[in-house]
Amino acid sequence: MLFDYETLKLIWWLLIGVLLIGFAIMDGHDMGVCSLLPIVGKTDAERRVIINTVGAHWEGNQVWFITAGGAIFAALPLVYATAFSSFYWALMAALWALFFRPVGFKYRSMIKNDTWRRAWDWGLFVGSFVPALIFGVAFGNLFLGVPFSFDEHLLVSDSVTLRGLLSPFALLCGVISVAMMIMHGGVFLAHRTVGEIQARAKKFTMLSACVMVVLFAAAGFWVAQLDGFVITSQIDKGGVIDPLAKTVITAQGAWLDNFAKMPSLWALPALGLALPFVAVGLMYAGRTLLAFIASSLATLGVVATAGVALFPFYMPSSTDPRASLTVWDSTSSHLTLMIMLYVVVLILPIVVTYTSWAYAIMRGKVTTAYIKENEHSLY
């Protein structure tokens, strides 16, 4: 084999991170746009402009989410099974909300009726705002530890109610996720629109950037007071999966240990704290494409900060800490990871190239005049 088992486990931790960051950047900005839809768009024509800034791309962006889910299912089956058992109601709520997106884009403009269209506008809002909130809440619960354990057959023996997920810290993470998404979507909307729509998008982008930075900093201080998880026993990093064959303790501030061991990693939270303001400054300076790149890097910084802080844990267990799922004891077989890596090496460059080409071809401003000229061929 090209890589040993330990190296493959690390590679797949990185690849899952890349897919989640790709989802946050690509699907995040069109979710942000749709979350701003009922607020920024004052007339039907303006709302159609907003929808059509992402209408050509939202399905392709959703592929990042589907691919991330599929990769976790194949590469981290124990994580996938435990997450769907523990977060069942939360994930179902996110999926139910996501249903509004395809039908909203499809049916919204089929009938020229204000009540009909406003209803679908709010459907697109729910289908974008709610999943972003839930995904942030789920990340917050990882830092608190998820109440699950395993029996001798590695079957999950605990689950979490939707209400049980909504602790103050988890809700804070959910609001950060929403603010980040709206900031990112607002920058994209400012890039693709003109006039009053652009001016309103800029205002909400600046507001959401401020909220995101303040709350992200507050979450960092909060994490420093939380009990983090630490592996205290020897672990066979290249061995077969057995999450119960280790000892794990909790210690205050342990979630920041990786940053203490490698100070260069502080660059990641720095991106999340500084680049939202850089994006806003570039946006007001008229450099909207550079602003979108800056907001993308800010999004990367926030998601990567969470991943690095949790490493090597995927899902810590508050019920039985030794059952916590880590990079070393929750993956598929060596052969499975190797075959999947070959597929990624072949397919991912194609996806990135095609996506880049699609955005390049369909670039430019969307205006109300353009919508009126293409009344029957646009969303």
Side-chain angles (χ1 to χ4, degrees), residues 19-310:
L19 291 172
L20 291 177
I21 290 169
F23 164 62
I25 292 174
M26 300 306 298
D27 221 14
H29 78 261
D30 70 57
M31 284 184 170
V33 167
C34 289
S35 294
L36 289 170
L37 174 62
I39 305 166
V40 172
K42 301 301 183 182
T43 65
D44 178 64
E46 287 183 348
R47 289 189 289 273
R48 289 194 72 185
V49 168
I50 292 168
I51 290 171
N52 281 281
T53 61
V54 295
H57 305 291
W58 75 269
E59 286 179 290
N61 295 339
Q62 200 98 329
V63 168
W64 288 92
F65 175 59
I66 297 168
T67 304
I72 293 171
F73 170 79
L76 310 171
L78 204 52
V79 174
Y80 185 91
T82 305
F84 268 86
S85 297
S86 299
F87 293 148
Y88 179 80
W89 289 110
L91 290 172
M92 289 305 295
L95 290 173
W96 290 332
L98 285 169
F99 291 159
F100 285 106
R101 283 166 60 78
V103 291
F105 279 108
K106 181 70 175 178
Y107 294 120
R108 190 262 180 203
S109 295
M110 283 191 168
I111 298 176
K112 200 168 185 177
N113 176 278
D114 286 342
T115 302
W116 170 269
R117 291 184 173 185
R118 280 190 175 275
W120 285 117
D121 290 342
W122 283 104
L124 287 169
F125 169 84
V126 169
S128 301
F129 183 94
V130 171
L133 178 67
I134 290 176
F135 295 147
V137 167
F139 259 99
N141 276 278
L142 294 180
F143 285 95
L144 299 172
V146 182
F148 71 89
S149 58
F150 296 114
D151 60 20
E152 65 274 15
H153 303 294
L154 296 186
L155 297 175
V156 181
S157 56
D158 294 288
S159 62
V160 191
T161 64
L162 184 58
R163 183 178 179 182
L165 293 171
L166 303 178
S167 67
F169 178 77
L171 285 172
L172 173 64
C173 293
V175 176
I176 293 170
S177 175
V178 170
M180 177 178 72
M181 174 196 69
I182 292 177
M183 179 273 299
H184 193 38
V187 170
F188 184 78
L189 199 55
H191 178 60
R192 295 296 310 277
T193 60
V194 297
E196 288 297 317
I197 300 174
Q198 186 187 64
R200 293 186 209 114
K202 287 179 178 179
K203 181 176 71 174
F204 282 101
T205 299
M206 182 170 62
L207 177 62
S208 59
C210 291
V211 171
M212 171 190 164
V213 170
V214 170
L215 295 186
F216 184 48
F221 286 110
W222 198 333
V223 165
Q225 308 306 314
L226 292 176
D227 286 339
F229 287 62
V230 182
I231 299 173
T232 58
S233 62
Q234 291 293 325
I235 186 168
D236 183 3
K237 297 179 179 180
V240 296
I241 63 170
D242 184 4
L244 299 178
K246 64 180 180 294
T247 303
V248 178
I249 64 168
T250 59
Q252 184 178 347
W255 287 133
L256 300 182
D257 284 354
N258 289 330
F259 296 96
K261 293 173 183 175
M262 193 177 296
S264 60
L265 293 174
W266 285 108
L268 296 173
L271 289 176
L273 291 170
L275 285 189
F277 293 131
V278 173
V280 170
L282 289 168
M283 179 184 66
Y284 274 100
R287 308 296 296 273
T288 52
L289 179 58
L290 287 176
F292 182 72
I293 294 171
S295 68
S296 298
L297 290 173
T299 301
L300 179 152
V302 172
V303 179
T305 295
V308 167
L310 287 166

